[in-house]
Amino acid sequence: MANFRRKQPSRRPQKPAHEEPPVLGQVEIVVERVGARGDGLALSHGARLYVPQSLPGDQMMVKFGARRADGWEAVPVALVGEAPGRAEPPCKHFGTCGGCVVQHMGPEVYAAWKLDTLRTILGRNGLLDGVTIHPMVTTPPEARRRAVMTAVRRGKRLWLGFNERASHRLIDMEHCPVLLPSLVAAAQALRPLLAQLLTQDGQQCDVALTQLDDGVEVVLEGIPEPKLSELEMLSAFAEAQDLARLAWRRKAGAPAEPIALRRTGLVSFGTVTVSPAPGAFLQASRQGEQALASLALSGIGEAKVVADLFAGSGTLTFPLATKAKVHAVEGEETAVRTLEGGAKQLPVGQVTVERRDLFRDPLVPYDLNRFDAVVFDPPRAGAEAQAAEIAKSTVPTVVAVSCNPTSFARDAQALLAGGFRLMEVTPVDQFLWSAHLELVGVFRR
Ligand SMILES: C[S@@+](CC[C@H](N)C(=O)[O-])C[C@H]1O[C@@H](n2cnc3c(N)ncnc32)[C@H](O)[C@@H]1O
């Protein structure tokens, strides 16, 4: 029988329910399927129930809980008929921590759920006909190489961890089976230091941890400029912990100010080694990054001149440059500098770099028609304006890398309207046990 990890009762007063549920007592339900956010979906008394930590086919006794969107939270009471494929969650924080939503799924059920979610989104948008959907590329536990945690002082105690699901309450993280052990160790080592920095009750900051090739990087976000004594303390910490880099910034997105640059801060992409600015975007795991790069490489086929749009620090640019001349376009200034540093390591003209806001000023057919293939990898919002221009161009091949199947589907529609066919899609799972899914789609015409 499954052992449900119950959400710990909140210490805050609960909001009064504004609406009475259709039934006050227990009801028996069967979970039909698991929805995109990881909750089981069931119907009872004409109402939709969202059932946490359930599997398709589970028969359960539940009560109606809080109102949620178009339905109600289900409060599990007992599992009366257990569907196959349940797993023992490996993390003691599962059930409260917002990082993972489905550790109760065994690997087969988990892969089937992610694939089903993807197929549902693609199907809803008419994108399944004639498309090959490849098996999902998975990332193992203890592989995530970047994470942003929150630290807060509450009374005498320092809390450090991730938020609870759909809440601003914090989990005081003791371990994390998803992150690289080096990042968990760095987080634990940071506690006494953060306790000295955050001295006022309620004071908090974010802590961005990244494993680079030459060590761990820590960026403290949302703190006031450190005083001299604090800078000395932070530098001594970087030394004692053998960090690659330690930096701070006033808020997420602001430039990170270095405190200790003990090493260069290196990442290798293809044949090139770059030094991204502290806090720069990197794919969440080495395994995921390599999968995306090899899918982009195979997706461009024999293309000899390629545009890599939303290029970041060159995750895809430099692997692509082993096979083609690449024009990398990116909006963020520090990432552009990283790209330029990498391009200098290659023969002149192999990689050219352009800083451009591709939302406001996308490449137009005049710019695009010289490319044999375009690769784009936008943020979650997608590449709406850029996809519309590619549709008007003569580019024969597009490889779309996406961290959001919904915006991918919208951009795919624009490409299809421009005469492209979606040939194949490969889901890439970099965020183990979460509801996130990345994918690579190859379009040709
Ligand atoms: C998902 S990341 C991908 C980066 C890179 N392809 C990689 O795999 O590491 C998206 C990139 O788009 C860039 N970006 C966001 N908005 C942009 C815009 N309006 N114009 C150009 N680049 C933008 C971000 O700076 C970031 O580097």
Side-chain angles (χ1 to χ4, degrees):
M1 179 70 66
N3 186 9
F4 287 103
R5 303 279 179 87
R6 286 178 197 282
K7 204 170 167 175
Q8 283 151 14
S10 168
R11 274 173 274 151
R12 290 194 194 143
Q14 296 293 305
K15 281 189 198 158
H18 295 295
E19 209 180 321
E20 283 290 307
V23 185
L24 288 177
Q26 297 180 17
V27 288
E28 184 166 343
I29 51 131
V30 177
V31 175
E32 294 162 17
R33 63 186 183 86
V34 174
R37 290 202 200 161
D39 289 323
L41 304 178
L43 284 175
S44 177
H45 295 75
R48 159 78 62 220
L49 278 164
Y50 293 93
V51 194
Q53 298 172 41
S54 61
L55 301 184
D58 275 347
Q59 270 177 277
M60 301 171 74
M61 299 304 296
V62 302
K63 284 183 172 179
F64 279 74
R67 195 85 171 89
R68 172 168 153 188
D70 58 342
W72 301 81
E73 301 272 358
V75 181
V77 177
L79 189 58
V80 289
E82 191 173 3
R86 191 171 276 276
E88 186 54 37
C91 181
K92 68 173 282 192
H93 302 300
F94 179 63
T96 42
C97 180
C100 294
V101 288
V102 295
Q103 284 186 5
H104 64 291
M105 289 181 176
E108 290 83 21
V109 179
Y110 174 69
W113 165 60
K114 286 221 156 164
L115 217 50
D116 180 54
T117 305
L118 176 62
R119 292 186 76 92
T120 304
I121 295 169
L122 296 182
R124 212 184 280 146
N125 289 278
L127 293 169
L128 280 178
D129 262 5
V131 181
T132 304
I133 309 236
H134 295 291
M136 184 168 82
V137 178
T138 57
T139 306
E142 301 190 347
R144 178 105 48 94
R145 68 168 169 195
R146 67 174 168 85
V148 182
M149 297 175 196
T150 301
V152 62
R153 169 168 292 283
R154 291 212 189 102
K156 289 191 175 156
R157 194 168 152 201
L158 187 280
W159 294 57
L160 175 64
F162 299 109
N163 280 346
E164 281 185 13
R165 197 174 172 196
S167 159
H168 293 298
R169 275 167 52 89
L170 207 62
I171 300 290
D172 204 17
M173 187 200 74
E174 287 175 29
H175 74 136
C176 176
V178 166
L179 296 182
L180 283 169
S182 55
L183 297 190
V184 178
Q188 301 306 15
L190 271 161
R191 284 172 180 275
L193 180 88
L194 291 163
Q196 289 186 68
L197 279 179
L198 306 174
T199 52
Q200 311 290 317
D201 193 28
Q203 200 181 354
Q204 67 177 67
C205 73
D206 283 347
V207 181
L209 298 163
T210 308
Q211 176 68 58
L212 302 167
D213 291 358
D214 53 357
V216 171
E217 171 189 279
V218 177
V219 181
L220 304 176
E221 297 181 347
I223 55 166
E225 186 167 358
K227 298 191 283 273
L228 187 59
S229 58
E230 291 170 333
L231 287 173
E232 282 167 2
M233 182 173 78
L234 288 160
S235 302
F237 174 82
E239 194 70 28
Q241 295 301 320
D242 194 25
L243 296 183
R245 306 193 292 201
L246 176 61
W248 73 281
R249 57 178 149 204
R250 277 180 211 285
K251 58 178 186 186
E257 307 285 344
I259 295 170
L261 300 182
R262 299 187 57 255
R263 304 213 187 84
T264 317
L266 297 173
V267 186
S268 53
F269 300 132
T271 59
V272 159
T273 299
V274 294
S275 176
F281 175 88
L282 284 183
Q283 292 294 340
S285 68
R286 257 296 182 200
Q287 291 86 341
E289 172 201 302
Q290 280 164 359
L292 296 176
S294 85
L295 288 162
L297 263 173
S298 63
I300 64 164
E302 297 306 310
K304 291 281 166 258
V305 187
V306 176
D308 176 23
L309 310 183
F310 304 94
S313 299
T315 307
L316 307 177
T317 309
F318 296 112
L320 289 167
T322 58
K323 207 165 119 174
K325 286 191 188 305
V326 184
H327 184 60
V329 185
E330 162 63 39
E332 218 257 309
E333 190 186 347
T334 53
V336 167
R337 272 192 248 129
T338 306
L339 285 163
E340 288 169 345
K344 284 190 191 137
Q345 297 168 38
L346 295 172
V348 174
Q350 192 66 19
V351 168
T352 52
V353 181
E354 179 181 355
R355 183 174 181 202
R356 188 157 173 162
D357 182 338
L358 292 167
F359 288 169
R360 290 160 187 252
D361 183 22
L363 267 62
V364 295
Y366 176 80
D367 310 306
L368 290 165
N369 290 344
R370 72 185 178 96
F371 297 114
D372 304 324
V374 170
V375 176
F376 66 76
D377 179 13
R380 285 188 68 74
E384 190 170 18
Q386 187 58 76
E389 294 300 328
I390 296 170
K392 290 187 247 163
S393 75
T394 58
V395 170
T397 299
V398 172
V399 179
V401 180
S402 171
C403 56
N404 181 356
T406 303
S407 60
F408 168 86
R410 182 205 57 210
D411 298 345
Q413 306 263 6
L415 295 177
L416 264 51
F420 283 95
R421 274 190 58 203
L422 177 56
M423 311 300 292
E424 52 187 313
V425 171
T426 309
V428 177
D429 187 31
Q430 289 204 79
F431 293 92
L432 183 63
W433 296 315
S434 82
H436 290 289
L437 185 60
E438 319 218 348
L439 61 98
V440 178
V442 180
F443 300 81
R444 296 193 204 284
R445 63 178 170 198

